[in-house]
Amino acid sequence: MVGKLAKHKLVLQLATSIEKYTSREIPSDSTLRKTYVNDIYEETMKNIREQIKGNKIWVSIDETTDSEGRYVANVIIGTLNTDAPGKTYLLTTEVLEKANNSTVVKLFDHSMFVLWPNGIRHDDVLLFVTDAAPYMVKTGQTLQSLYSKMIHLTCLAHGIHRVAENIREKFKRVDKLISRVKQVFLKAPSRVLVFKSEAPAIPLPPEPILTRWGTWIIAASYYCKYYQVIRRVLLSLNAEDAISVKEAQQLIQEPDMEANLVYIHSNFGFIPEYITKLETQYISLSEALSAVKYVQNKLNDCEGEIGVAVFQKLNNVLEKNCDFKTIHKILKILSGQESSMEGLPDDLTGDDITYFKYAPITSTDVERSFSRNKTLLVDNRRSFNFENIKKSLVVQCNTFEGRNKIISNAF
């Protein structure tokens, strides 16, 4: 409560200072929402349409849930250029009744009408990137009957993360060790102090989050590198202090634990680096698919029953990826390795293919948009009308010089 009062007081002081030095009155928050938010939003949409005009585009859609349990979907679009990476925009954010094929198809079509209010340019939509959820796969199949040139890819970075999750499932005892050690030092300053005293030269154990792609593999590599140090620190703690301490001590002393960590690190430790590479914005299609090929080759070299199973998992992920073979063929044509257009969508022309040189193969841009809108999808925003949330998010995620003129008119 004290923090909120101090923050409110600071805001009032800032407002008073602005009014004093600008000789203008700051409008109330309700006036800003009713008048200026809409004006800024309309100006932002006008600029997006001008930037998109005459360009081929790609589209990405994903959904999350807010604090009220609503399904909130973001629609990201980007331009496809022949000679350089294009620009990316948050086109809209909408509440879905349900997360299924029907609602996403309607959202896609509505979004294209928002972009092209005078008539949807179906032939300008060349690529649709989503996650691999079954309803998204079905959505892509439905939309391709309306957008006949459109290729549908499921996110390759997410696909490789699914392989990493498959590795985690095969090493349940290692997974339990990582989980218990995380609990040992989480919100435990006294144990953290012991760790820093016993091992001052190494960082604290990582705290993998399963929704953050590849973090479990990073944690396993950490334990491989610092196994003996972690073992010494854990055994120095009082086993009666917490159940997590007792279980972590038991796990760290299992005879096959260190060998399993060595196997994971030596065979799969490279995966997080390549997930990160795929998440990089504005890389070329050639670079992105080369990263996927590298992962495929490395996993093919893995020996043992688990290595073979993990390699097969990756192959299954790629085979189920809607148009992975199509995008791979397009790259071969762009690089001169393929001279036939056979196997591509009938309506896709040679000119269209030139726009795929910097086409994305991941949905990380839409994931980033969720990270940016967290401040507007929290508990203390429940009285904020969602239409205003949408407009505010679109404005926040799309910055244009022309927007400054409207903002200045608010004072």
Side-chain angles (χ1 to χ4, degrees):
M1 179 62 72
V2 175
K4 289 184 178 179
L5 289 173
K7 184 177 180 180
H8 181 65
K9 185 177 179 181
L10 181 62
V11 170
L12 289 176
Q13 290 175 343
L14 179 61
T16 302
S17 298
I18 291 174
E19 289 180 343
K20 177 181 177 181
Y21 290 106
T22 63
S23 300
R24 297 189 182 186
E25 182 180 350
I26 296 178
S28 67
D29 55 351
S30 61
T31 300
L32 288 170
R33 283 196 298 270
K34 292 175 182 178
T35 305
Y36 299 108
V37 168
N38 189 65
D39 288 348
I40 297 171
Y41 169 76
E42 291 298 334
E43 180 67 14
T44 300
M45 290 306 303
K46 179 182 176 182
N47 276 284
I48 291 176
R49 293 184 185 113
E50 288 177 354
Q51 295 288 329
I52 295 296
K53 188 176 181 180
N55 283 297
K56 307 292 184 180
I57 69 167
W58 59 268
V59 182
S60 186
I61 297 178
D62 200 1
E63 53 84 19
T64 186
T65 53
D66 66 4
S67 55
E68 292 189 352
R70 297 176 296 192
Y71 294 106
V72 179
N74 282 7
V75 180
I76 297 288
I77 62 171
T79 55
L80 292 169
N81 300 329
T82 60
D83 56 353
K87 295 181 179 179
T88 303
Y89 310 94
L90 173 64
L91 183 60
T92 189
T93 181
E94 303 286 351
V95 174
L96 304 178
E97 294 179 11
K98 298 178 181 179
N100 60 28
N101 162 55
S102 177
T103 57
V104 178
V105 167
K106 289 177 181 177
L107 173 60
F108 187 103
D109 216 40
H110 168 71
S111 301
M112 295 304 97
F113 182 75
V114 168
L115 180 61
W116 293 301
N118 296 324
I120 297 175
R121 299 179 61 85
H122 294 82
D123 287 350
D124 284 350
V125 184
L126 299 184
L127 178 63
F128 184 37
V129 187
T130 68
D131 61 24
Y135 70 88
M136 282 296 190
V137 173
K138 190 175 179 180
T139 295
Q141 293 170 348
T142 302
L143 289 170
Q144 284 176 317
S145 63
L146 299 173
Y147 299 83
S148 58
K149 294 188 176 188
M150 189 180 77
I151 291 171
H152 179 211
L153 280 179
T154 56
C155 176
L156 269 298
H158 188 205
I160 295 176
H161 171 67
R162 287 169 58 198
V163 174
E165 282 296 280
N166 183 255
I167 296 167
R168 182 176 69 87
E169 291 170 4
K170 294 183 182 302
F171 292 92
K172 296 186 183 298
R173 301 299 288 174
V174 172
D175 184 37
K176 191 172 182 180
L177 172 67
I178 293 172
S179 175
R180 292 298 176 268
V181 175
K182 177 180 176 179
Q183 293 173 4
V184 166
F185 295 103
L186 187 65
K187 297 180 180 179
S190 60
R191 294 180 206 141
V192 170
L193 190 61
V194 170
F195 184 95
K196 290 182 176 179
S197 175
E198 293 285 333
I202 70 172
L204 284 166
E207 299 178 2
I209 299 173
L210 299 185
T211 54
R212 292 182 182 174
W213 301 342
T215 54
W216 188 88
I217 298 287
I218 292 173
S221 293
Y222 168 92
Y223 284 96
C224 174
K225 184 176 182 180
Y226 300 115
Y227 185 83
Q228 294 302 328
V229 178
I230 300 298
R231 187 177 189 275
R232 186 178 72 248
V233 173
L234 286 176
L235 294 180
S236 71
L237 300 175
N238 184 357
E240 303 302 319
D241 195 24
I243 293 176
S244 59
V245 174
K246 185 176 182 179
E247 291 186 351
Q249 289 176 340
Q250 293 171 348
L251 289 163
I252 202 76
Q253 295 182 86
E254 290 185 359
D256 62 345
M257 184 62 70
E258 187 172 15
N260 284 334
L261 288 166
V262 169
Y263 182 83
I264 295 169
H265 176 63
S266 61
N267 288 280
F268 312 120
F270 69 94
I271 289 177
E273 177 187 349
Y274 281 83
I275 291 177
T276 301
K277 188 169 185 177
L278 286 171
E279 290 176 321
T280 304
Q281 285 184 301
Y282 310 129
I283 63 172
S284 68
L285 179 62
S286 176
E287 290 177 278
L289 288 180
S290 291
V292 175
K293 186 63 177 178
Y294 180 86
V295 172
Q296 197 171 18
N297 289 338
K298 287 281 287 184
L299 292 182
N300 188 34
D301 292 338
C302 292
E303 298 182 357
E305 183 179 337
I306 290 178
V308 171
V310 171
F311 176 63
Q312 186 58 49
K313 174 66 176 179
L314 176 63
N315 286 339
N316 291 339
V317 167
L318 295 179
E319 286 174 9
K320 291 179 180 178
N321 197 329
C322 311
D323 279 327
F324 178 72
K325 289 182 180 178
T326 303
I327 201 73
H328 201 267
K329 184 177 180 67
I330 286 174
L331 176 62
K332 285 186 174 182
I333 293 173
L334 288 171
S335 61
Q337 300 175 47
E338 180 70 60
S339 57
S340 171
M341 297 279 286
E342 187 178 349
L344 297 179
D346 292 339
D347 289 350
L348 202 65
T349 68
D351 181 59
D352 295 326
I353 289 175
T354 63
Y355 291 96
F356 280 88
K357 190 172 183 179
Y358 292 92
I361 62 171
T362 71
S363 60
T364 51
D365 283 300
V366 73
E367 298 287 348
R368 290 187 183 98
S369 71
F370 288 135
S371 298
R372 294 184 66 177
N373 67 23
K374 283 181 181 178
T375 56
L376 290 177
L377 294 175
V378 292
D379 292 342
N380 61 355
R381 293 287 187 174
R382 294 193 179 197
S383 62
F384 198 179
N385 181 279
F386 193 84
E387 186 66 18
N388 283 332
I389 291 178
K390 176 181 78 172
K391 292 175 180 178
S392 297
L393 287 174
V394 170
V395 170
Q396 283 184 15
C397 293
N398 302 287
T399 305
F400 298 101
E401 293 179 3
R403 174 180 152 216
N404 297 329
K405 185 185 296 184
I406 296 180
I407 295 174
S408 66
N409 289 336
F411 299 99

